[in-house]
Amino acid sequence: MAEPRPESVPDGPRKRNRLRWFKWVVGIALVALLIGEGIYLWPRLHESWKALTEIHWGWLAACVFAQALSLSAFGRVQKQLLEAGGVRVRQSKSVSVIYGSTAMSLTLPAGQVFSTAFTYRETRRWGASPVVASWQLAISGVIAAAGLAVLGVGGALLVGGAVNTFTLVLPIAGVVLIVLGVRYISAHPQAIRSTARWTLRKINDFRNQPADTGAERIDEIIEQVQSVRLGTRDGVLSLSWSAVHRLADVACLGFACFAVGADPRLSGLLIAFAAGKAVGSVPLAPGGLVIVDATLIAFLTSAASISASQAVAAAFVYRGVSFILVAIVGWIVFLVLFRNHRHENLEYDIAVEQREAVEQREIIEQREIRDLYKPRADNVDPESG
């Protein structure tokens, strides 16, 4: 008789071992980055420490206030865009999500992914449809990129340097195209539906699928896009609050310079800020650790015309407020307000799916009723009436 084969060993311990090794690698990498930053800053640390010990506390308080204003303004942008999609949310809730998502973005590996997923899920909890939640994330990101480009170009113009028009036109054009696209779909749903269904029939024919496969999904997406009403008022307010968000963050960097006794040039301050944010958007290290600091120090010294020791101290103050303090506050907000949401995700997903299924059935039934009675009304002989 053949001996029974041993059951396969579950791979749970193996996965845990891999996760443990991953944590060790990430920890060693962070330590290496900190050591590299210390080596880079060591020659100026004595003078920088002296500037920090003589810090002006009033400017430091202004620095903290400016950063809080920046995040609050970004929360207002999110709130305004959601209201354009028919979702009402309090400013406090919007700002709390901004703090939580920013903490994730600053401190976690691949933090932008976790931050985006967290924001998307929370806006869905507020009642946003998938299209509205995704649209809000996309357009707020494009507006923020456009604002950063404007600041960088403004700094270059002030200093008298050459400007690459493409870097300014591209993000602004992106904002305009997204807004015009959404408004066109809202105003011409039938034309979009006809084009989308024609394309769908061709795709289904190529895949040997029934011609109407996926038609309900197209109708659902168009109905969701039609709920977005980005009028002139919403657009102006969104752009205005986005400008406040960026300018307050620039002010935070400027106040950090004033706090250590430096007097930076405005053009150099704008260039240093834009360069630091642009480098920080590259996912090389959590929060752009070392990379953003080095970029700020280099540009504050070369473009803003302050001493290297003051640049090191100013970068330390700015990063301490915009990185460390914001991350601490953000994680506290997350643990207090959103920690239990992880355990509610399954029930939440089921409830959302059931609600959307009911809404979709109602939409389909209403459309079928309209289609049922429309031909009868068209075929009535006017002489017989």
Side-chain angles (χ1 to χ4, degrees), residues 61-182:
C63 184
V64 174
F65 174 78
Q67 189 59 218
L69 177 61
S70 174
L71 292 174
S72 178
F74 196 58
R76 189 73 185 191
V77 173
Q78 177 178 258
K79 179 179 184 294
Q80 203 69 47
L81 292 175
L82 287 173
E83 286 185 354
V87 180
R88 300 290 177 180
V89 58
R90 294 197 306 271
Q91 172 70 0
S92 58
K93 280 189 174 183
S94 182
V95 172
S96 63
V97 167
I98 293 298
Y99 271 96
S101 62
T102 303
M104 292 180 183
S105 177
L106 290 175
T107 58
L108 295 177
Q112 287 290 346
V113 177
F114 291 100
S115 172
T116 302
F118 168 71
T119 303
Y120 176 84
R121 180 168 291 277
E122 292 305 318
T123 52
R124 294 279 282 124
R125 287 179 182 277
W126 297 337
S129 66
V131 169
V132 171
S134 302
W135 172 83
Q136 183 274 137
L137 283 168
I139 197 169
S140 61
V142 174
I143 290 175
L148 187 61
V150 170
L151 289 176
V153 170
L157 290 175
L158 287 175
V159 82
V163 175
N164 185 354
T165 309
F166 181 77
T167 59
L168 178 62
V169 172
L170 182 62
I172 295 178
V175 175
V176 174
L177 288 176
I178 291 176
V179 173
L180 291 179
V182 171

Side-chain angles (χ1 to χ4, degrees), residues 226-251:
Q226 281 186 278
S227 66
V228 177
R229 295 286 187 271
L230 187 63
T232 303
R233 177 179 176 276
D234 290 321
V236 170
L237 287 176
S238 298
L239 291 174
S240 300
W241 284 113
S242 182
V244 173
H245 160 62
R246 284 303 189 192
L247 292 175
D249 206 356
V250 174

